[in-house]
Amino acid sequence: MSRECITFEVGGQTFGLDIGVIREIRDWSPVTRVPGMPPYVAGVATLDGAILPVVDLALRLGWEPTLAGEQHAILIVQIGNRTCGMVVGPVGDLVMIEQTSLLAPPPLGGTGALRFIEGIAPLPNRMVQVLDIEALAGGEMMSTLHSA
């Protein structure tokens, strides 16, 4: 079985996210910071008149914060019954990934960003790290976004 993923860059690495969870891809526009949010919440934006929390995906992965500019985008994603934005680098293309070609991330231990990776898809000339949106949104992130 194959699945369609949108590719994008974060921290110089290529990631993919199942197209089924992406509602919209927006050009970068500044967000409004909200006091008391965890560092990985870049701020909030509006979507169809509603306040939308926007997560800096690089920070969520435990990397340096994104210095967002024109080359960046905000992916609007649906996670269960919640919608949020994710700041990412340049958005690439739509790729078909065979589920059987998805390799498990290496068992390096720890609780770092690997817990957010569903698998790694080797494609011609690159490897795409497919994000597990449920793991990415799990735990404290969803409770934080629920209160945003």
Side-chain angles (χ1 to χ4, degrees):
M1 179 167 117
S2 62
R3 58 199 277 199
E4 294 178 298
C5 290
I6 293 285
T7 63
F8 51 88
E9 289 185 23
V10 175
Q13 300 299 306
T14 303
F15 288 89
L17 193 56
D18 196 291
I19 195 166
V21 300
I22 299 174
R23 284 188 50 193
E24 184 179 339
I25 301 173
R26 290 183 154 190
D27 289 334
W28 168 252
S29 61
V31 296
T32 302
R33 297 267 318 151
V34 177
M37 291 287 110
Y40 60 80
V41 177
V44 295
T46 58
L47 175 68
D48 301 328
I51 298 295
L52 175 78
V54 178
V55 172
D56 181 340
L57 187 54
L59 277 173
R60 181 68 175 137
L61 294 172
W63 296 345
E64 293 296 315
T66 302
L67 300 174
E70 288 183 19
Q71 74 277 17
H72 291 85
I74 299 176
L75 296 181
I76 309 300
V77 297
Q78 187 76 38
I79 307 167
N81 62 353
R82 301 286 302 160
T83 303
C84 76
M86 294 192 309
V87 178
V88 300
V91 175
D93 50 359
L94 182 65
V95 296
M96 295 297 290
I97 296 176
E98 291 295 327
Q99 194 66 30
T100 56
S101 72
L102 205 57
L103 305 173
L108 299 175
T111 58
L114 280 178
R115 69 180 190 247
F116 304 133
I117 306 300
E118 180 181 337
I120 300 173
L123 299 177
N125 301 321
R126 64 185 167 158
M127 295 197 349
V128 175
Q129 299 175 69
V130 178
L131 290 172
D132 180 341
I133 195 71
E134 297 297 327
L136 189 66
E140 83 285 355
M141 184 172 145
M142 286 314 286
S143 61
T144 297
L145 295 182
H146 186 67
S147 63

